Amino acid sequence: MYLGIDVGGTKVAFRVETDDGPADETAFAWAPRHSAAADLAQLAGHVAGLRTRLGSPLRAVGVAMPGTVTPDGRVTAWPNRPEWTGLALDVALQELFPEAAVAWADDGDLGALAEARAAACDNLLYVGVGTGIGGGLVLHGEPCPGTARGSFELGHVVVELDGPPCVCGRCGCLQAIASGPATLDRAAHLRGAPVTFDDLRHALDAGRPWAVDAVRRTTRALAAAVTGVQELVHPDRVVIGGGFAAGLPGFVGRVSEHLAEFARPGQLPLPAEPAALGGLSSLRGAVSLARLIATR
């Protein structure tokens, strides 16, 4: 059996596959932040439940991680859960899965890999909009820049020199403007009252000005970052996923409008499509990683 784990800032998702197809899929929300040890204990509890349900050993485990992890397996930064900074991720994962081969990679990189395979496209840019902004690039069928050289950090491309502060310490990062929480905060400011995701979704569908304006800045910032990537490496298409983007009506179409706005003379805007796997791109990529290491 092959297990994929998508470790997010607010929840963790699991998907188990056999050679015949999917066998189990579940998720849990993180308890309130306390410590990396407490998080790992919560993760271990859910893994124990998974083992009980499966009744069979795991062959390999692939993990999609949003934080920055060094090649030797140590977490050096994860703004959404800073308690993990310094954690020896490789050791923690081997303790959780002593019976299996284990590997990890950036969640955006794995999302891109899964989407490229689903689309049969060897040159693809993936953008995941959720608690943060994940990004991944596949060129000639391979993740770029490659695991040995770090992850494709589209969320920390600066798109506004005088933009809002990002959790990474800089100002004007794409993530500080276009992530789900950033969009909701901006919507609340424009509305003058708290805004939930469902509030935003219904108001956007109804054309409420405060919702339209909040999402316009998000989609325009995303288009600016995508246009920059297009100028440098010329992917064939961009796919946009993540739970936040997937849940908002017309989100990808709004990004496409801004891509057309930013296209310079003689250049066609990059075709934008919804991610084929929706908010599950990174999770499916983690399973693909598990399958890959099982063959080594």
Side-chain angles (χ1 to χ4, degrees):
M1 291 191 176
Y2 311 96
L3 171 62
I5 306 176
D6 184 14
V7 180
T10 58
K11 70 175 184 177
V12 179
F14 300 83
R15 180 179 173 88
V16 178
E17 294 183 2
T18 68
D19 289 330
D20 297 323
D24 187 279
E25 191 164 307
T26 188
F28 72 87
W30 286 119
R33 281 169 44 187
H34 178 65
S35 67
D39 288 346
L40 290 172
Q42 186 182 4
L43 182 59
H46 285 268
V47 168
L50 178 68
R51 283 196 175 95
T52 299
R53 291 197 304 276
L54 294 176
S56 299
L58 295 167
R59 184 178 179 188
V61 180
V63 181
M65 269 293 296
T68 303
V69 184
T70 61
D72 65 354
R74 190 168 295 277
V75 179
T76 57
W78 186 9
N80 288 322
R81 300 192 84 80
E83 300 84 2
W84 284 50
T85 301
L87 174 71
L89 182 66
D90 56 342
V91 174
L93 292 176
Q94 286 295 347
E95 289 177 351
L96 272 175
F97 304 104
E99 79 283 16
V102 183
W104 66 90
D106 179 76
D107 57 349
D109 291 342
L110 289 179
L113 184 61
E115 288 293 338
R117 289 180 173 176
C121 178
D122 284 343
N123 300 291
L124 180 141
L125 172 63
Y126 166 73
V127 184
V129 185
T131 304
I133 298 289
L137 177 68
V138 172
L139 292 179
H140 308 296
E142 297 290 336
C144 178
T147 54
R149 300 187 62 196
S151 55
F152 187 83
E153 293 290 348
L154 187 69
H156 294 292
V157 171
V158 175
V159 293
E160 290 187 12
L161 294 180
D162 299 316
C166 181
V167 291
C168 76
R170 288 201 297 245
C171 289
C173 288
L174 179 64
Q175 180 165 296
I177 298 158
S179 68
T183 307
L184 291 175
D185 286 347
R186 183 163 57 252
H189 176 75
L190 292 171
R191 187 188 189 189
V195 174
T196 66
F197 178 77
D198 284 340
D199 291 336
L200 180 64
R201 179 167 55 87
H202 293 308
L204 185 64
D205 198 33
R208 304 291 185 193
W210 60 265
V212 172
D213 289 347
V215 173
R216 180 184 294 116
R217 187 175 176 195
T218 290
T219 53
R220 197 164 190 262
L222 287 166
V226 168
T227 299
V229 175
Q230 180 186 15
E231 291 285 4
L232 295 173
V233 295
H234 305 286
D236 294 326
R237 72 180 76 170
V238 56
V239 296
I240 300 173
F244 188 83
L248 291 180
F251 191 90
V252 175
R254 295 169 191 269
V255 175
S256 292
E257 291 173 3
H258 294 304
L259 288 172
E261 170 193 345
F262 290 140
R264 60 184 170 83
Q267 178 196 62
L268 294 175
L270 195 63
E273 303 171 2
L277 303 174
L280 301 175
S281 304
S282 297
L283 180 59
R284 297 293 181 88
V287 179
S288 295
L289 179 62
R291 289 181 175 277
L292 180 64
I293 63 173
T295 61
R296 292 175 180 172

